[in-house]
Structures are given as structure tokens and as C-alpha cells.
Amino acid sequence: MQLTNFGEQFSAGVLKKIYQNAVAPGIVNRDYEGDIKKPGDRVNILSFLNDALMSDYVVGTDMASETIVDNEDTLVVEKRKYFNFSLDRLEDLFTYGGNVVDNLLTNRAAVLERAVDAYVLEKGVDAKAGSWVGVNVKVAGSVQTAASIVTTATGGTVTLMFSESVTAGNATGVEQGDGTIAFGGFEASDIGKGFRLRSSATFVTPWYKITSVTSSTSATLTEWDGETTGSDFQEGYTLRGVYGGDGITFPKTGDGNAAILASGTQDGLGWEIQAALATSVSAASVYDQVTLLGEKLNQNEVPDGDRWLVIPPEIKTMLLQASETQPTGIAEMYKGTVTNGKIMRIGGFDIHVAAGSRLSLRAGHSTGSGDFTASSNGYFIVAGHKGFITYADKWAESRVIDAEDQFAKKYQGLYLYGALVTSYGRKLGAILFGNY
């Protein structure tokens, strides 16, 4: 066994082990420009946010020119992990050299892959507003308008006309999709989720992202990609389709530039928060919930290939028990090969398994009648396309040094990494907010 390059062999081995066992390398992309040299370095990711317009050509008429909106996102290499250990008995190194390397590699790899997976999967919260599966808070609205949106330079501000909890079926009532009565206002747990206006006739605006909560009756909104301008925005407004007419079902008021609360068809608006509460996941429901995640991606025209879903071991068991996979199951589910945690393919997704400790956990919207309490915690079970999360990493340094005043050597290494969901990349992901 040669000691001169032991440190370099160790760091290279750790990296290799991570890419065999961790979930993250199987679901991310590395489409960025720039070099990583030290902690805090930044790499750039270019994307084009609006679709190119196709216009009718008229002979003898000049063609209109379109300005394509480009966006450069910056990924910060914000995370740093190091190893620094010593082997203080040289005779043991020679005697057990092979075992020393294997044991240390296995231990360091397991620790590092857990940290990387948890960090990458946490980025799933940046999935596009409207691409969440869970239990929604709904206020139907009636003669009284329950919410209004005023656009701002950065998006918009939504104001609710009340925040309370009343019995289901009341004209101003708040009811979950599963019949649970909930707090009829904003909470910190709603940040990152989708919000939309809806009328009693089921007309709806597009989903907007809740970026901050000012009070129980006020919150700030942005577009799903954070943008405020482009050919697909109405002139003078910083939220797409806030006055309808964008191909969803909400009708325009007049020419689309009149106030959405103008007298007439827009009276009685209600509102809705998407996936405010975690939905229960079981063997009876899990297959349907997986297909709903696929539906969200289909609505965003996400390519069918390279789709993935990361689930905890408990949900893997539910999939194996689901009636849709019986009696013989899906052959792919029972193959022994595991790469980057991938263990099966269902509903168009490559299924990866990660222990629950690697998944983000958050309390749901409060429920109750008068004495509100946070609902049960839910996990962010992340699905997406490989373009969803961009990842950058580098082993910055690896070295072997002599320990002072000891007959020992120290083996040191520094690993740098960062991840980002770009503005455009948000539409390539979806979230199941669930518990089990």
C-alpha cells in the first residue's frame, strides 16, 4: 500500500461512493457556466422565460419584432464539508491497510450523501405555484367579495376581507378539500405555495406564488417564475392573467384592463391556497397521487423522459401494496438493481428512495374552530424532470500532512457544493405535500 497519494485516493473514492448511493446525482443537472475554486463562488445559468410568438404573415405588411426575455440565474456554491482525521498508529495502517480505507470510505460517504440529498431535496419547495398536490383551503365567496389583488412593481398584494373559521357550507366559510374546517387566513406555513382567486361559478385566475405573509389577511404574491415583464404580460400589470383571458376559465372584464372587482360578473370572488394541508398517503391513494404529480408536469408541458420522484421507504411499501400494482406487480419494481436510490418506475417516473430524514418537513395550515392549532406535519415529496434542480460541486482540496509531535498522519479534504432551481426550472418540478 502506498501512502504518498492516500489522501487523493480517499477523496476520489468518497466522491465515487456518493454517486453510487446518493439520490441527488440521479435527479439533478449540471447545466451551468463557470468554474468553482473556493466557497462562495458563483456559476451562471442562462434561460429564456417566454415562448416565442408565432404571428400570421400578411403580404405587404412589415413583420412585428418580438423581444425575447432572457434571464441569468446565479448559483452560489454555499455549502462546504470537510474531513480531517488522523491515523496515529502507523503499524495498524500497514497491518489493516485495506480495511482502513474501506471502512473510512463507507462512513464518510454515508454522512456526506445524507447531507447532499437533504440539501438538494429541500430545493423542491421552489416548484412552480400551481404544481402542488395536497389539500387546498377554499373560500367559495358569494355576494360578498372575499379577496382582491392589487399589482405592484414586483408582483402583487392580496387582501382578504376576513380571517376566521366557520362551519362548512357557510357563504363565507372556509373548507378544506377533505371537509376539514380550517383557519381562513394566511400563515407562515403558506409561504411558497400557490394562491388564486376563484368565483362561485368556479372561474379562476392563474396560480401565483405566496412569497411572504404580512398578516392573517395580507400576503405578497409573485409570478411562478418571479418575472414581471414580457410579451405574455398584459400591459401595465405584473401578474400574468390577473384579469383573466389567458386561456384558463376566468373571463376578462371589458378589455382585460379594468379592475377585477368591477361591478358585474366579478362580484363575489373567493380564493384558494394550494396544498395548505398535507394529504394522507396510503396504499389505497398513493398510485392516484403519483399520477396527479404527472398531471402537474403534463400541464406545464414537461417532457415525458427523465422524470423522477423521490419517496421515503414507507411510501415504497405502499406502492408495492397498491392494488394498481397487483397481483404480480410491475416487473421493474422487483428488480434488485439500485442506482442513485432508483428502485422502480411507475406512472412515468423513475422512483428513488430516500430516508425520511432527507425530506423536508413542514407543519400544515391551522385547523379548528376558534382555537386554531397547526395541522399535522407533512413531507415535501418531490417530483420533477432532470432540468428542475441544477447542482454544482467540487473537491476543492485534498492533502496528507504530518501531525505535529505525533507519529501520525492527517488526511484532510474540502468538498464544496450548491444547488439552485432557476426561474424557468420551477415549472419542471412538482410537490406532493403528504403524510403517512
Side-chain angles (χ1 to χ4, degrees):
M1 176 179 180
Q2 297 180 351
L3 298 181
T4 54
N5 66 340
F6 182 75
E8 288 79 1
Q9 292 175 350
F10 180 81
S11 61
V14 171
L15 194 62
K16 182 178 180 182
K17 291 273 186 176
I18 290 173
Y19 282 89
Q20 289 175 339
N21 299 319
V23 168
I27 64 175
V28 300
N29 70 83
R30 295 173 176 273
D31 300 331
Y32 61 85
E33 295 292 336
D35 296 322
I36 302 171
K37 297 180 180 179
K38 62 183 184 302
D41 276 354
R42 288 162 166 78
V43 295
N44 300 316
I45 307 162
L46 180 66
S47 59
F48 298 99
L49 299 179
N50 59 312
D51 294 328
L53 297 178
M54 297 297 293
S55 303
D56 293 325
Y57 178 73
V58 178
V59 177
T61 302
D62 292 341
M63 293 181 292
S65 178
E66 177 194 5
T67 300
I68 298 295
V69 179
D70 63 295
N71 188 71
E72 187 174 73
D73 291 283
T74 301
L75 188 161
V76 180
V77 183
E78 58 181 343
K79 294 293 184 179
R80 61 202 78 179
K81 297 289 183 182
Y82 72 88
F83 63 83
N84 181 17
F85 66 92
S86 64
L87 297 176
D88 58 2
R89 296 183 62 187
L90 194 58
E91 64 273 20
D92 285 349
L93 183 60
F94 281 112
T95 304
Y96 306 106
N99 290 335
V100 168
V101 175
D102 289 342
N103 291 338
L104 291 175
L105 284 175
T106 300
N107 178 263
R108 272 32 175 218
V111 172
L112 186 52
E113 74 177 38
R114 286 197 299 269
V116 171
D117 281 353
Y119 171 73
V120 168
L121 291 173
E122 186 179 9
K123 299 296 181 181
V125 71
D126 290 327
K128 178 183 177 181
S131 295
W132 293 58
V133 175
V135 180
N136 295 4
V137 167
K138 300 178 182 178
V139 174
S142 183
V143 176
Q144 177 188 6
T145 295
S148 62
I149 293 176
V150 175
T151 55
T152 66
T154 57
T157 299
V158 56
T159 301
L160 308 181
M161 305 310 169
F162 58 86
S163 60
E164 59 186 39
S165 179
V166 293
T167 58
N170 188 292
T172 57
V174 178
E175 182 181 358
Q176 300 293 343
D178 63 354
T180 303
I181 307 304
F183 174 60
F186 292 117
E187 299 181 316
S189 63
D190 302 323
I191 294 174
K193 299 180 180 179
F195 176 92
R196 69 181 179 183
L197 298 178
R198 61 197 303 272
S199 78
S200 55
T202 69
F203 292 128
V204 295
T205 65
W207 290 103
Y208 306 117
K209 182 178 180 179
I210 301 173
T211 54
S212 67
V213 171
T214 307
S215 69
S216 62
T217 58
S218 180
T220 59
L221 306 174
T222 63
E223 259 298 336
W224 65 268
D225 55 5
E227 293 303 306
T228 58
T229 60
S231 58
D232 50 351
F233 285 83
Q234 290 172 276
E235 185 177 354
Y237 297 98
T238 53
L239 293 174
R240 297 181 182 95
V242 70
Y243 297 125
D246 66 340
I248 305 184
T249 55
F250 203 98
K252 285 188 177 183
T253 300
D255 61 0
N257 293 325
I260 198 168
L261 298 181
S263 178
T265 60
Q266 313 302 333
D267 286 346
L269 284 170
W271 52 270
E272 186 173 5
I273 299 175
Q274 191 174 52
L277 261 73
T279 187
S280 178
V281 183
S282 66
S285 66
V286 64
Y287 189 83
D288 288 345
Q289 288 158 335
V290 170
T291 60
L292 286 174
L293 289 171
E295 179 182 294
K296 298 298 183 185
L297 297 185
N298 291 338
Q299 289 172 342
N300 293 327
E301 298 184 291
V302 176
D304 293 334
D306 291 327
R307 291 188 181 186
W308 51 263
L309 170 64
V310 180
I311 60 174
E314 294 86 348
I315 293 183
K316 174 191 173 183
T317 301
M318 294 174 190
L319 282 170
L320 294 173
Q321 296 172 343
S323 61
E324 290 85 354
T325 64
Q326 301 303 318
T328 57
I330 299 174
E332 188 72 18
M333 295 171 59
Y334 297 96
K335 291 182 178 179
T337 302
V338 178
T339 304
N340 299 136
K342 175 185 171 183
I343 48 86
M344 64 179 79
R345 183 171 176 81
I346 289 180
F349 292 101
D350 291 333
I351 307 297
H352 301 255
V353 173
S357 61
R358 305 187 190 197
L359 305 180
S360 297
L361 188 68
R362 183 190 292 185
H365 200 86
S366 293
T367 59
S369 181
D371 295 327
F372 302 108
T373 58
S375 64
S376 58
N377 291 335
Y379 287 95
F380 289 155
I381 300 169
V382 188
H385 179 273
K386 268 216 166 183
F388 181 31
I389 302 172
T390 302
Y391 183 72
D393 66 341
K394 182 178 183 179
W395 276 102
E397 190 169 352
S398 176
R399 63 192 182 192
V400 180
I401 62 174
D402 292 325
E404 294 183 7
D405 301 324
Q406 297 180 30
F407 292 106
K409 290 185 179 291
K410 289 185 176 181
Y411 303 89
Q412 302 173 335
L414 178 62
Y415 181 62
L416 310 177
Y417 61 98
L420 178 73
V421 175
T422 65
S423 298
Y424 176 80
R426 296 174 192 174
K427 72 184 299 183
L428 304 179
I431 293 286
L432 171 60
F433 185 43
N435 55 30
Y436 45 87

